[in-house]
Amino acid sequence: MSSSPNLPHPDRSEISLTSVLFALSDPERLAIARQLVDGPLDMAECHLSNPDVPKSTKSHLMKVLRTSGVVRNEANGRGRRLSLRREDLDARFPGLLDAVLSAADGNAKP
Amino acid sequence: MSSSPNLPHPDRSEISLTSVLFALSDPERLAIARQLVDGPLDMAECHLSNPDVPKSTKSHLMKVLRTSGVVRNEANGRGRRLSLRREDLDARFPGLLDAVLSAADGNAKP
């Protein structure tokens, strides 16, 4: 787990539609976003569907979610706290997050 | 332009959320989808924002849109006809296409 206290996040106005779509286009990243629907979680509480994913891969998934503006990732004691940037995303792209999160997975062809 | 008369398309039930999000996560592919909002177009009428994109790249962009289920690509005389699979996408992922297509581009950070 990174110990950088303040990781960079895009401002609301900088959040790009295509970057958000890309961040949510990976099944593991989408699953992480869905875990945050009911509120923030510590990074250690976020589980990947594939438990064999290396820590470095998990870090990279988290970085894509953060730099796209989907997730806020803040220092919280010794760990990190993840939260969905719902208010920012709803303001930028009305209806998008709800449509994605409420959609059936439908990964017949991943 | 490919002369294959019948290219494969996923059935409605096979369309995957993450594949659709991925297809729309590229600015050029998203721009093509937006050009089809008002109705089908011949492939020759679909313009990329970067006119220097090689024909092979355009073909690949079209292939991603087709295999993800976003666009139908059918033989039409000597050319090909592209249409947005709006009915299929709306049935699979209610609200998603409208949210994406109505969103401001917001590609401050592509």
PDB file of all heavy atoms in Angstrom, chain A residues 64-88:
ATOM      1  N   VAL A  64      -5.923   3.877 -12.091  1.00  0.00           N
ATOM      2  CA  VAL A  64      -6.782   4.238 -13.233  1.00  0.00           C
ATOM      3  C   VAL A  64      -8.102   4.815 -12.724  1.00  0.00           C
ATOM      4  O   VAL A  64      -8.610   5.809 -13.249  1.00  0.00           O
ATOM      5  CB  VAL A  64      -7.008   3.020 -14.150  1.00  0.00           C
ATOM      6  CG1 VAL A  64      -8.010   3.353 -15.253  1.00  0.00           C
ATOM      7  CG2 VAL A  64      -5.688   2.561 -14.772  1.00  0.00           C
ATOM      8  N   LEU A  65      -8.645   4.207 -11.675  1.00  0.00           N
ATOM      9  CA  LEU A  65      -9.902   4.713 -11.109  1.00  0.00           C
ATOM     10  C   LEU A  65      -9.731   6.122 -10.525  1.00  0.00           C
ATOM     11  O   LEU A  65     -10.635   6.954 -10.620  1.00  0.00           O
ATOM     12  CB  LEU A  65     -10.410   3.752 -10.026  1.00  0.00           C
ATOM     13  CG  LEU A  65     -10.998   2.432 -10.547  1.00  0.00           C
ATOM     14  CD1 LEU A  65     -11.156   1.424  -9.411  1.00  0.00           C
ATOM     15  CD2 LEU A  65     -12.351   2.670 -11.236  1.00  0.00           C
ATOM     16  N   ARG A  66      -8.577   6.370  -9.931  1.00  0.00           N
ATOM     17  CA  ARG A  66      -8.328   7.689  -9.332  1.00  0.00           C
ATOM     18  C   ARG A  66      -8.045   8.748 -10.398  1.00  0.00           C
ATOM     19  O   ARG A  66      -8.662   9.823 -10.396  1.00  0.00           O
ATOM     20  CB  ARG A  66      -7.130   7.601  -8.374  1.00  0.00           C
ATOM     21  CG  ARG A  66      -6.641   8.956  -7.861  1.00  0.00           C
ATOM     22  CD  ARG A  66      -5.515   8.812  -6.847  1.00  0.00           C
ATOM     23  NE  ARG A  66      -4.369   8.070  -7.340  1.00  0.00           N
ATOM     24  CZ  ARG A  66      -3.415   8.569  -8.145  1.00  0.00           C
ATOM     25  NH1 ARG A  66      -3.456   9.823  -8.535  1.00  0.00           N
ATOM     26  NH2 ARG A  66      -2.396   7.809  -8.539  1.00  0.00           N
ATOM     27  N   THR A  67      -7.148   8.447 -11.339  1.00  0.00           N
ATOM     28  CA  THR A  67      -6.751   9.483 -12.301  1.00  0.00           C
ATOM     29  C   THR A  67      -7.872   9.797 -13.296  1.00  0.00           C
ATOM     30  O   THR A  67      -7.880  10.869 -13.896  1.00  0.00           O
ATOM     31  CB  THR A  67      -5.473   9.083 -13.067  1.00  0.00           C
ATOM     32  OG1 THR A  67      -5.692   7.835 -13.717  1.00  0.00           O
ATOM     33  CG2 THR A  67      -4.302   8.951 -12.109  1.00  0.00           C
ATOM     34  N   SER A  68      -8.824   8.878 -13.461  1.00  0.00           N
ATOM     35  CA  SER A  68      -9.960   9.150 -14.345  1.00  0.00           C
ATOM     36  C   SER A  68     -11.012   9.998 -13.650  1.00  0.00           C
ATOM     37  O   SER A  68     -11.910  10.529 -14.299  1.00  0.00           O
ATOM     38  CB  SER A  68     -10.602   7.834 -14.785  1.00  0.00           C
ATOM     39  OG  SER A  68     -11.158   7.174 -13.657  1.00  0.00           O
ATOM     40  N   GLY A  69     -10.948  10.059 -12.326  1.00  0.00           N
ATOM     41  CA  GLY A  69     -11.942  10.828 -11.580  1.00  0.00           C
ATOM     42  C   GLY A  69     -13.098  10.002 -11.055  1.00  0.00           C
ATOM     43  O   GLY A  69     -14.050  10.551 -10.509  1.00  0.00           O
ATOM     44  N   VAL A  70     -13.017   8.683 -11.198  1.00  0.00           N
ATOM     45  CA  VAL A  70     -14.124   7.835 -10.727  1.00  0.00           C
ATOM     46  C   VAL A  70     -14.071   7.679  -9.206  1.00  0.00           C
ATOM     47  O   VAL A  70     -15.109   7.663  -8.546  1.00  0.00           O
ATOM     48  CB  VAL A  70     -14.083   6.455 -11.422  1.00  0.00           C
ATOM     49  CG1 VAL A  70     -15.089   5.489 -10.806  1.00  0.00           C
ATOM     50  CG2 VAL A  70     -14.339   6.605 -12.924  1.00  0.00           C
ATOM     51  N   VAL A  71     -12.865   7.584  -8.680  1.00  0.00           N
ATOM     52  CA  VAL A  71     -12.706   7.267  -7.261  1.00  0.00           C
ATOM     53  C   VAL A  71     -11.766   8.274  -6.599  1.00  0.00           C
ATOM     54  O   VAL A  71     -10.783   8.716  -7.211  1.00  0.00           O
ATOM     55  CB  VAL A  71     -12.150   5.814  -7.132  1.00  0.00           C
ATOM     56  CG1 VAL A  71     -11.492   5.572  -5.785  1.00  0.00           C
ATOM     57  CG2 VAL A  71     -13.273   4.803  -7.370  1.00  0.00           C
ATOM     58  N   ARG A  72     -12.106   8.637  -5.379  1.00  0.00           N
ATOM     59  CA  ARG A  72     -11.189   9.439  -4.566  1.00  0.00           C
ATOM     60  C   ARG A  72     -10.440   8.482  -3.639  1.00  0.00           C
ATOM     61  O   ARG A  72     -11.023   7.537  -3.110  1.00  0.00           O
ATOM     62  CB  ARG A  72     -11.972  10.483  -3.749  1.00  0.00           C
ATOM     63  CG  ARG A  72     -11.129  11.612  -3.243  1.00  0.00           C
ATOM     64  CD  ARG A  72     -11.980  12.765  -2.703  1.00  0.00           C
ATOM     65  NE  ARG A  72     -12.561  13.595  -3.742  1.00  0.00           N
ATOM     66  CZ  ARG A  72     -11.877  14.499  -4.463  1.00  0.00           C
ATOM     67  NH1 ARG A  72     -10.584  14.695  -4.239  1.00  0.00           N
ATOM     68  NH2 ARG A  72     -12.471  15.205  -5.386  1.00  0.00           N
ATOM     69  N   ASN A  73      -9.144   8.714  -3.509  1.00  0.00           N
ATOM     70  CA  ASN A  73      -8.272   7.803  -2.777  1.00  0.00           C
ATOM     71  C   ASN A  73      -7.441   8.647  -1.810  1.00  0.00           C
ATOM     72  O   ASN A  73      -6.507   9.343  -2.215  1.00  0.00           O
ATOM     73  CB  ASN A  73      -7.384   7.073  -3.806  1.00  0.00           C
ATOM     74  CG  ASN A  73      -6.399   6.112  -3.177  1.00  0.00           C
ATOM     75  OD1 ASN A  73      -5.993   6.285  -2.034  1.00  0.00           O
ATOM     76  ND2 ASN A  73      -5.989   5.110  -3.950  1.00  0.00           N
ATOM     77  N   GLU A  74      -7.820   8.594  -0.537  1.00  0.00           N
ATOM     78  CA  GLU A  74      -7.199   9.488   0.433  1.00  0.00           C
ATOM     79  C   GLU A  74      -6.564   8.732   1.591  1.00  0.00           C
ATOM     80  O   GLU A  74      -7.038   7.655   1.987  1.00  0.00           O
ATOM     81  CB  GLU A  74      -8.262  10.451   0.983  1.00  0.00           C
ATOM     82  CG  GLU A  74      -8.693  11.474  -0.063  1.00  0.00           C
ATOM     83  CD  GLU A  74      -9.961  12.221   0.287  1.00  0.00           C
ATOM     84  OE1 GLU A  74     -10.932  11.572   0.724  1.00  0.00           O
ATOM     85  OE2 GLU A  74      -9.970  13.447   0.127  1.00  0.00           O
ATOM     86  N   ALA A  75      -5.509   9.336   2.115  1.00  0.00           N
ATOM     87  CA  ALA A  75      -4.855   8.739   3.273  1.00  0.00           C
ATOM     88  C   ALA A  75      -5.847   8.689   4.429  1.00  0.00           C
ATOM     89  O   ALA A  75      -6.640   9.603   4.628  1.00  0.00           O
ATOM     90  CB  ALA A  75      -3.636   9.569   3.664  1.00  0.00           C
ATOM     91  N   ASN A  76      -5.774   7.574   5.174  1.00  0.00           N
ATOM     92  CA  ASN A  76      -6.689   7.382   6.297  1.00  0.00           C
ATOM     93  C   ASN A  76      -5.928   6.560   7.329  1.00  0.00           C
ATOM     94  O   ASN A  76      -5.904   5.337   7.257  1.00  0.00           O
ATOM     95  CB  ASN A  76      -7.935   6.630   5.816  1.00  0.00           C
ATOM     96  CG  ASN A  76      -8.947   6.426   6.916  1.00  0.00           C
ATOM     97  OD1 ASN A  76      -9.140   7.296   7.754  1.00  0.00           O
ATOM     98  ND2 ASN A  76      -9.583   5.257   6.915  1.00  0.00           N
ATOM     99  N   GLY A  77      -5.275   7.259   8.251  1.00  0.00           N
ATOM    100  CA  GLY A  77      -4.428   6.537   9.188  1.00  0.00           C
ATOM    101  C   GLY A  77      -3.297   5.865   8.434  1.00  0.00           C
ATOM    102  O   GLY A  77      -2.653   6.493   7.597  1.00  0.00           O
ATOM    103  N   ARG A  78      -3.111   4.590   8.677  1.00  0.00           N
ATOM    104  CA  ARG A  78      -2.051   3.869   7.969  1.00  0.00           C
ATOM    105  C   ARG A  78      -2.503   3.334   6.617  1.00  0.00           C
ATOM    106  O   ARG A  78      -1.704   2.809   5.864  1.00  0.00           O
ATOM    107  CB  ARG A  78      -1.576   2.680   8.806  1.00  0.00           C
ATOM    108  CG  ARG A  78      -0.838   3.122  10.044  1.00  0.00           C
ATOM    109  CD  ARG A  78      -0.302   1.912  10.753  1.00  0.00           C
ATOM    110  NE  ARG A  78       0.552   2.300  11.859  1.00  0.00           N
ATOM    111  CZ  ARG A  78       1.364   1.477  12.471  1.00  0.00           C
ATOM    112  NH1 ARG A  78       1.438   0.203  12.094  1.00  0.00           N
ATOM    113  NH2 ARG A  78       2.111   1.885  13.466  1.00  0.00           N
ATOM    114  N   GLY A  79      -3.786   3.389   6.385  1.00  0.00           N
ATOM    115  CA  GLY A  79      -4.304   2.849   5.133  1.00  0.00           C
ATOM    116  C   GLY A  79      -4.770   3.948   4.196  1.00  0.00           C
ATOM    117  O   GLY A  79      -4.368   5.102   4.320  1.00  0.00           O
ATOM    118  N   ARG A  80      -5.614   3.557   3.264  1.00  0.00           N
ATOM    119  CA  ARG A  80      -6.183   4.521   2.321  1.00  0.00           C
ATOM    120  C   ARG A  80      -7.682   4.282   2.238  1.00  0.00           C
ATOM    121  O   ARG A  80      -8.153   3.151   2.321  1.00  0.00           O
ATOM    122  CB  ARG A  80      -5.539   4.386   0.943  1.00  0.00           C
ATOM    123  CG  ARG A  80      -4.013   4.551   0.973  1.00  0.00           C
ATOM    124  CD  ARG A  80      -3.472   4.969  -0.368  1.00  0.00           C
ATOM    125  NE  ARG A  80      -3.969   6.278  -0.752  1.00  0.00           N
ATOM    126  CZ  ARG A  80      -3.398   7.448  -0.400  1.00  0.00           C
ATOM    127  NH1 ARG A  80      -2.309   7.479   0.330  1.00  0.00           N
ATOM    128  NH2 ARG A  80      -3.931   8.578  -0.802  1.00  0.00           N
ATOM    129  N   ARG A  81      -8.407   5.368   2.067  1.00  0.00           N
ATOM    130  CA  ARG A  81      -9.861   5.327   2.029  1.00  0.00           C
ATOM    131  C   ARG A  81     -10.305   5.607   0.600  1.00  0.00           C
ATOM    132  O   ARG A  81      -9.881   6.598  -0.002  1.00  0.00           O
ATOM    133  CB  ARG A  81     -10.388   6.419   2.975  1.00  0.00           C
ATOM    134  CG  ARG A  81     -11.846   6.284   3.317  1.00  0.00           C
ATOM    135  CD  ARG A  81     -12.060   5.215   4.339  1.00  0.00           C
ATOM    136  NE  ARG A  81     -13.433   5.186   4.849  1.00  0.00           N
ATOM    137  CZ  ARG A  81     -13.977   4.110   5.387  1.00  0.00           C
ATOM    138  NH1 ARG A  81     -13.292   2.972   5.466  1.00  0.00           N
ATOM    139  NH2 ARG A  81     -15.201   4.138   5.848  1.00  0.00           N
ATOM    140  N   LEU A  82     -11.136   4.746   0.074  1.00  0.00           N
ATOM    141  CA  LEU A  82     -11.624   4.913  -1.292  1.00  0.00           C
ATOM    142  C   LEU A  82     -13.084   5.332  -1.263  1.00  0.00           C
ATOM    143  O   LEU A  82     -13.875   4.768  -0.508  1.00  0.00           O
ATOM    144  CB  LEU A  82     -11.529   3.590  -2.052  1.00  0.00           C
ATOM    145  CG  LEU A  82     -10.149   2.962  -2.191  1.00  0.00           C
ATOM    146  CD1 LEU A  82     -10.282   1.613  -2.886  1.00  0.00           C
ATOM    147  CD2 LEU A  82      -9.236   3.872  -2.992  1.00  0.00           C
ATOM    148  N   SER A  83     -13.430   6.286  -2.112  1.00  0.00           N
ATOM    149  CA  SER A  83     -14.845   6.652  -2.239  1.00  0.00           C
ATOM    150  C   SER A  83     -15.156   6.963  -3.695  1.00  0.00           C
ATOM    151  O   SER A  83     -14.300   7.421  -4.456  1.00  0.00           O
ATOM    152  CB  SER A  83     -15.184   7.850  -1.351  1.00  0.00           C
ATOM    153  OG  SER A  83     -14.334   8.932  -1.644  1.00  0.00           O
ATOM    154  N   LEU A  84     -16.393   6.672  -4.049  1.00  0.00           N
ATOM    155  CA  LEU A  84     -16.878   6.959  -5.388  1.00  0.00           C
ATOM    156  C   LEU A  84     -17.146   8.462  -5.484  1.00  0.00           C
ATOM    157  O   LEU A  84     -17.768   9.031  -4.582  1.00  0.00           O
ATOM    158  CB  LEU A  84     -18.179   6.170  -5.576  1.00  0.00           C
ATOM    159  CG  LEU A  84     -18.667   5.815  -6.959  1.00  0.00           C
ATOM    160  CD1 LEU A  84     -17.598   5.080  -7.753  1.00  0.00           C
ATOM    161  CD2 LEU A  84     -19.909   4.928  -6.828  1.00  0.00           C
ATOM    162  N   ARG A  85     -16.718   9.093  -6.580  1.00  0.00           N
ATOM    163  CA  ARG A  85     -16.949  10.541  -6.735  1.00  0.00           C
ATOM    164  C   ARG A  85     -18.315  10.766  -7.386  1.00  0.00           C
ATOM    165  O   ARG A  85     -18.441  11.399  -8.425  1.00  0.00           O
ATOM    166  CB  ARG A  85     -15.813  11.159  -7.550  1.00  0.00           C
ATOM    167  CG  ARG A  85     -14.487  11.082  -6.810  1.00  0.00           C
ATOM    168  CD  ARG A  85     -13.368  11.719  -7.594  1.00  0.00           C
ATOM    169  NE  ARG A  85     -13.577  13.164  -7.768  1.00  0.00           N
ATOM    170  CZ  ARG A  85     -12.700  13.965  -8.381  1.00  0.00           C
ATOM    171  NH1 ARG A  85     -11.563  13.462  -8.855  1.00  0.00           N
ATOM    172  NH2 ARG A  85     -12.959  15.243  -8.518  1.00  0.00           N
ATOM    173  N   ARG A  86     -19.332  10.273  -6.717  1.00  0.00           N
ATOM    174  CA  ARG A  86     -20.679  10.282  -7.300  1.00  0.00           C
ATOM    175  C   ARG A  86     -21.171  11.693  -7.623  1.00  0.00           C
ATOM    176  O   ARG A  86     -21.723  11.944  -8.692  1.00  0.00           O
ATOM    177  CB  ARG A  86     -21.653   9.580  -6.344  1.00  0.00           C
ATOM    178  CG  ARG A  86     -23.089   9.605  -6.813  1.00  0.00           C
ATOM    179  CD  ARG A  86     -24.008   8.912  -5.840  1.00  0.00           C
ATOM    180  NE  ARG A  86     -24.021   7.482  -5.990  1.00  0.00           N
ATOM    181  CZ  ARG A  86     -24.667   6.833  -6.968  1.00  0.00           C
ATOM    182  NH1 ARG A  86     -25.321   7.509  -7.894  1.00  0.00           N
ATOM    183  NH2 ARG A  86     -24.662   5.526  -7.009  1.00  0.00           N
ATOM    184  N   GLU A  87     -20.947  12.612  -6.679  1.00  0.00           N
ATOM    185  CA  GLU A  87     -21.464  13.971  -6.889  1.00  0.00           C
ATOM    186  C   GLU A  87     -20.787  14.616  -8.106  1.00  0.00           C
ATOM    187  O   GLU A  87     -21.454  15.240  -8.941  1.00  0.00           O
ATOM    188  CB  GLU A  87     -21.208  14.802  -5.625  1.00  0.00           C
ATOM    189  CG  GLU A  87     -22.176  15.942  -5.422  1.00  0.00           C
ATOM    190  CD  GLU A  87     -21.948  16.618  -4.077  1.00  0.00           C
ATOM    191  OE1 GLU A  87     -21.776  15.918  -3.055  1.00  0.00           O
ATOM    192  OE2 GLU A  87     -21.917  17.862  -4.061  1.00  0.00           O
ATOM    193  N   ASP A  88     -19.483  14.435  -8.204  1.00  0.00           N
ATOM    194  CA  ASP A  88     -18.752  15.012  -9.340  1.00  0.00           C
ATOM    195  C   ASP A  88     -19.186  14.359 -10.648  1.00  0.00           C
ATOM    196  O   ASP A  88     -19.391  15.037 -11.655  1.00  0.00           O
ATOM    197  CB  ASP A  88     -17.242  14.804  -9.148  1.00  0.00           C
ATOM    198  CG  ASP A  88     -16.692  15.656  -8.010  1.00  0.00           C
ATOM    199  OD1 ASP A  88     -17.211  16.774  -7.803  1.00  0.00           O
ATOM    200  OD2 ASP A  88     -15.748  15.207  -7.333  1.00  0.00           O
TER     201      ASP A  88
END
